[in-house]
Amino acid sequence: MEGGESSTGTANQWHQERIQLWLANNVSKRQEEYVRWNDLSVFCGSWNVNNKKPPTAAEMAPWLLPSSPSNNQPDVYVVGLQEVDLTVAGVLTQQTDKALPWLETVEATINSSGTKFLPLSHRQLAGIMVGVWVRESLFPLCSAPHTLDVATGILGMLGNKGGVALSFRIQCSTVCVVCAHLAADIAQVVRRNQDFNDIIKRMRFPVPDQIHSHSGVLSQKSSIDGKFGVYDHDYVFWVGDLNYRLTTTDYQFVHGQIAAAKNAEDPIEGFKELMKHDQLQIQRDNGEVFPHFNECPIAFPPTYKFVPDTQEYVAEAQDKPRIPAWCDRVLYRVKDASAGSVTPHKYSWHPELTISDHKPVSLTLTARTKDIDHSKYQQILREIARDLDRLENEYMPDASISTNALSYGAVAFGDTVRRSFVLTNTGVVPVQYSFKPAPGAASTLPFWITAPAPTGVIMPSSEAVIELNFQTSPRDLEALNAGPEELETVVILHLHQSKDHFLTLSARWRRTVFGVSLTTPTLPKPLWVLADALYQHGAAAAGSLLEGPIPDDLVLIRDSLTELGTVTVGREPGDLDTAYISSVADAFFVYLDCIGPAVVPEELFPAIMAASTESDMRAIPAGLPHAHYLVFIYVMSFVRYMISFEPDDHFVKGAATLLARVICRKPSRASVTQSELRSAAKFVEFFLRS
């Protein structure tokens, strides 16, 4: 009886969702009949503050307040900061109290002219922070915001790089503001691109209030998985230290171009030659990042790298040779013409603020926001609802599928193989789909398949591209390595009130050196090879321990270790570039994370949590199986050597926290709380300092 009631309830819920989306889709086609447009002025600012304390409100005024009293302040302030906290402790815990003084100073500055602004919300990830303030008179028109962060550092968990975002609605327009700090170094273009794409992919907000009834149809992806992505918003304002550099390394050429542009009658034209070398512009032109975003022409000098407390660029002989670059940027995106439009006003830098090695930037603009004539809206809604009633009485859902089989070929740990099929609504009413378990199956999809959009609604005469991607994590390796080489399964695509479709998924599993069990009393060769490559680079490798990898490098290292027993791949062992060293460091930690059972077996996790004395801690490795003990001692000795190049206390604690995540695991890889992680890190730190 309960099962029948549950099934009926689910069917009714799906039916209601389908109706709402169909109505929203059709009502939105007539939005000009019920939408009123209003102008909203917005300030978007970004500053990498280089771990400095905030200046006074008076010193911040040239950045945040209009240059002339005759110019009005904006309606909304979007302020993004980077490197608010550079300590390793802040990066690893992703928590810091250093943002509070900056938030207070920003608020004091924007309120100093007499106009009252209220904080809507803010979000912080270690040193990356974004805040939004709204004019008091407009504050009641804003919805409660949702906030998210995405860390893109090593193992996808460190907050030294990544993005933070707020999603909210003002009147009936949806807004997403993002502040990002992408990978540094001139050579890290691929990593920066990957950081951007990871942020876009992983930021999935709840659907804003009233979006179904007031803002029209959701994008396909949003309507499919019940979440609201960055691109689903009417407006996206993206600020940050994006770290894209100039492709030229000719220091004299760059400075000559800057000097000439400063004296040019048209600064935009003056900087045009130098902008040809701008990595961000090149990557955008190639379609790699920021699709359909806009950036105003740049009419100001590069914002990095300056001697702090001056307006002078770092000289060629000082520090490392630093070519000036436009690291700090502001871009914006409008979903489509029905969402509104943006009129940019002024895109500029603010060289008067000198405490950092970056200069802040700002963009002022006007966006058109939507308001609803509710009586007209309800009239149109009633008309369309009558049409829907007629159609539902006459027609049943119907859809076709483009294929009944997806093959992934040879796959291994670390691979992401994307496959998709097209589901087309061939009927005249919306189609609701989902996956359901095949007979005898425990779940709707095999554990080696991920579906970004496992449920959804497709409008009449529309189609959805549904992805089923091969992707594995360390937790999957034991089952895959112990199972058959040929992977094959059948999944069922269920169409509500229509026929099911069956898809065959097949792949060939390729075992690699990742996912070993410690069964023999010898050190695993891949672990030694990874450590040796880092050992040969000493201080450079130590500095790379907490950086993130380049994704393609990890696959290259995996295959090189498996097939050749090396990680150098045509390079001299002592001559690896910085980026590749970072990837080797990441592979070292990933290799440890894939060992199953863990280096410190899962059943000892409670003992780690209870250990409070030196004798308690020493008793834990003393009781390990010999193979596990050998790896434990080797890893501790190696990491202890590496941190000798970076003896800073925060760095040691950071390395201990990172190592604790991969060698100390709870049974079944259950989630670890911050308190448990601190206890595990304390245990590891004891041996790193012993």
Side-chain angles (χ1 to χ4, degrees), residues 30-60:
R30 298 174 59 179
Q31 74 167 9
E32 291 304 325
E33 298 178 44
Y34 61 84
V35 167
R36 294 188 295 258
W37 295 97
N38 299 300
D39 287 344
L40 183 79
S41 57
V42 182
F43 170 98
C44 299
S46 179
W47 192 12
N48 182 320
V49 300
N50 195 29
N51 204 33
K52 299 294 174 54
K53 295 180 180 179
T56 65
E59 291 169 324
M60 293 271 275

Side-chain angles (χ1 to χ4, degrees), residues 448-469:
W448 39 273
I449 291 295
T450 62
T455 64
V457 175
I458 307 172
M459 296 300 127
S461 303
S462 299
E463 62 183 30
V465 179
I466 301 173
E467 290 187 17
L468 292 177
N469 301 327

